[in-house]
Structures are given as C-alpha cells and as structure tokens.
Amino acid sequence: MTPENRLAELGLTLPNPPAAAGSYVPTVRTGNLLYCAGTICLASGQMTHTGQVGREQTVETGRAAAEVCALNTLANIKAAVGSLSRVKQVVMVNGFVNAVDGFTESPAVINGASDLLVKVFGDAGRHARAAVAVNGLPRGSTAEIQVVVELTA
C-alpha cells in the first residue's frame, strides 16, 4: 500500500504545498537526503492553531497542530520528489512547541507529527527526534516541525 493510500485510509488529504515565507526553499536535496524546511500549522492560507500550549491551547490541540505541520511537510516532500513512495526512511524530526514557560510536555505534542509519520510510512516512519518548547513561533503557530528523509535511489 502506498503512503498516499494510507493517508486516504486515515481520511486525510495533502494540502497544497506551502510556499516559502522568506528567503529559503521548502526542500533541499543532497544525495539521497531531503531536508525539509520548517512547516507550521497552516491550511488553505489560514492558521489552524495559534497561541501557546498551556494558555490558549491544550496538549491535545497541540498534537492536532503538529499533525497539520506533518501534512504540510508531506505535501512539500511530494512536490519535491513526485511521490511519497520515494521516501525510504524518515530520518529526523525537530519539533517546536509554542508553550508557556516551564512547559515539559513537548514530546506529547510533537507525537501528533511523529504518530502520523509512522501511520503513513510504517516502520520507515520511525525517526530520531527533538521536541522543544519555545516562547514563540512564526505567525503565532502552536507548533512547527523540520524533517529530514532518506529517498530511494
């Protein structure tokens, strides 16, 4: 089953790939590695989740925000290489959670992205990861992720 089929089984569709919001590109390929720029929880040009976890958002809504980020990253991967089936392994996810001071549950929030990647790619979706709380993200986003994937030759 293809990753796109798994997304459909989950009732999810990929958004249009988000455009770069500055002087960078959404992805850079070097050899068989594809580095994906950070994606926030933007859908159809609108923020889906804004504000800090522990204030305006909960851990659960933060997880949903991280899932939106992952969908945007998947859209960028597909735009770069044509098919999600080209992903051999998700290598690394760096997750950032817009959270109140002292917030310690960033891993639970970023699980929204990690869990989706495993559902889409199976064992190839298991990855190394960092999950960091920060005091602000672009456009007030509740979450942001950066991803590195290995592609098939």
Side-chain angles (χ1 to χ4, degrees), residues 92-152:
M92 181 73 181
V93 173
N94 290 315
F96 305 92
V97 179
N98 186 358
V100 297
D101 287 344
F103 184 73
T104 60
E105 296 181 64
S106 295
V109 172
I110 299 304
N111 279 345
S114 293
D115 291 348
L116 179 63
L117 294 171
V118 172
K119 288 176 187 171
V120 170
F121 296 110
D123 283 342
R126 297 191 186 286
H127 51 270
R129 186 181 86 178
V132 180
V134 296
N135 281 322
L137 288 171
R139 297 183 65 176
S141 184
T142 299
E144 179 174 2
I145 64 167
Q146 296 173 311
V147 175
V148 178
V149 297
E150 180 185 7
L151 302 171
T152 58

Side-chain angles (χ1 to χ4, degrees), residues 49 53 57-67 103 105 108-109 112:
H49 300 81
V53 179
Q57 301 291 337
T58 65
V59 169
E60 279 307 309
T61 60
R63 279 179 56 88
E67 184 175 285
F103 184 73
E105 296 181 64
V109 172

Side-chain angles (χ1 to χ4, degrees), residues 11 18 20 29 31 35 38 45 50 65 73-74 76 86 108 112-113 118 123 130 146-147:
R29 183 174 179 172
Y35 289 80
T50 58
T73 296
L74 292 174
N76 280 340
R86 297 278 320 277
V118 172
D123 283 342
Q146 296 173 311
V147 175

Side-chain angles (χ1 to χ4, degrees), residues 46-91:
Q46 301 295 317
M47 296 300 296
T48 62
H49 300 81
T50 58
Q52 294 184 307
V53 179
R55 186 169 295 132
E56 297 88 356
Q57 301 291 337
T58 65
V59 169
E60 279 307 309
T61 60
R63 279 179 56 88
E67 184 175 285
V68 173
C69 296
L71 287 170
N72 282 322
T73 296
L74 292 174
N76 280 340
I77 293 168
K78 185 170 182 173
V81 300
S83 170
L84 295 178
S85 295
R86 297 278 320 277
V87 173
K88 181 177 180 181
Q89 179 70 51
V90 178
V91 177

